[in-house]
Amino acid sequence: MSFNMTIDNEIALITFDDGKVNAVGFGLIDAFNQALDSAEADAKAVVIYGGEGKFCGGFDLSVMKGEDKGQQQALVSAGATLVKRLYAFPKPVIMAAEGHSIALGAIFLMAADLRIGKDGDTKYGLNETAIGMVLPSFGMELAKARLASTSLTEALLFSRIYQGEEAVKAGYLDAAVPQDNVLNTAMSYAAQLKMLPSSAFAESKRQLRKETLEKMGV
């Protein structure tokens, strides 16, 4: 896994890329938390980028399909805590998702303030029902808060996967642009959002999301 964070012009750019689907394991979660610590202290906006043509395919299957139930529970708990931290983060958080964003990848998108994805054949959505799972409560509450009310049944019960403008209408993305423009668009929005007064932004975000954060538990 290649993981990198830079802070330039008060914008933290976090890039994670394992050369595959960016599966989330304990190491990646730890790296994210360390990067968010630095961003909270030294940046005014955060852009999270999954690398060229990628974003996140969910939890690490080597853990989730293993025999150690304790490790599985620990990984889901750590992931939930990270998602909740992103959703409550006091600085603007922008996701740049050039590639498939399934399961936890879609939850990451819902936890961000602004989501820039790719138009065309990239998949965004929650596939838990389709693979015989029930979305954990932290993801369910986040989905109810962030997805369009008219899309909740098909997104959560039917495991519909969306692309491009359909993903925007459903609420996974805020904009779908050509792949070459995804990161630049996210960085441009970060440059605008970093100008917002930090204390007012943080308190408004806290009040706006307080109820959902409480329901998410963790």
Side-chain angles (χ1 to χ4, degrees):
M1 170 67 72
S2 172
F3 189 96
N4 183 57
M5 189 191 80
T6 59
I7 298 178
D8 188 34
N9 292 324
E10 300 177 312
I11 298 172
L13 173 60
I14 299 172
T15 302
F16 64 110
D17 185 353
D18 67 357
K20 299 177 182 178
V21 299
N22 287 338
V24 177
F26 292 107
L28 181 58
I29 291 172
D30 288 343
F32 260 119
N33 279 310
Q34 291 177 27
L36 290 173
D37 288 343
S38 296
E40 189 166 353
D42 300 323
K44 291 188 176 180
V46 179
V47 174
I48 297 176
Y49 176 52
E52 183 177 351
K54 294 182 288 300
F55 191 65
C56 177
F59 282 115
D60 185 348
L61 291 180
S62 69
V63 175
M64 299 307 293
K65 289 188 174 182
E67 297 182 357
D68 190 332
K69 300 300 182 184
Q71 282 289 90
Q72 293 170 11
Q73 293 174 357
L75 182 57
V76 171
S77 178
T81 300
L82 174 59
V83 167
K84 190 171 182 180
R85 182 179 187 184
L86 288 168
Y87 192 54
F89 200 70
K91 311 290 177 69
V93 176
I94 302 97
M95 299 280 184
E98 291 185 9
H100 302 319
S101 307
I102 303 297
L104 183 61
I107 294 174
F108 278 158
L109 293 179
M110 295 188 298
D113 300 314
L114 192 68
R115 298 76 50 86
I116 310 301
K118 176 188 171 185
D119 60 5
D121 59 354
T122 296
K123 299 176 181 179
Y124 302 92
L126 297 163
N127 67 341
E128 278 77 4
T129 301
I131 61 174
M133 297 178 63
V134 176
L135 188 66
S137 59
F138 75 92
M140 185 70 74
E141 293 301 332
L142 192 55
K144 289 191 288 186
R146 297 306 307 276
L147 296 182
S149 60
T150 52
S151 297
L152 285 176
T153 295
E154 62 181 19
L156 298 175
L157 301 187
F158 305 160
S159 288
R160 180 175 173 185
I161 302 300
Y162 301 84
Q163 298 180 6
E165 289 300 324
E166 289 184 339
V168 175
K169 292 178 182 178
Y172 289 111
L173 299 177
D174 295 294
V177 302
Q179 182 175 329
D180 290 347
N181 294 341
V182 170
L183 182 56
N184 287 339
T185 301
M187 295 298 289
S188 293
Y189 275 113
Q192 297 175 42
L193 294 175
K194 75 173 187 178
M195 304 303 292
L196 293 169
S198 296
S199 59
F201 178 88
E203 178 59 20
S204 295
K205 188 171 181 176
R206 187 192 69 80
Q207 292 188 27
L208 177 65
R209 298 184 172 173
K210 179 181 178 181
E211 184 175 347
T212 299
L213 285 163
E214 290 174 350
K215 290 179 180 178
M216 286 171 72
V218 183

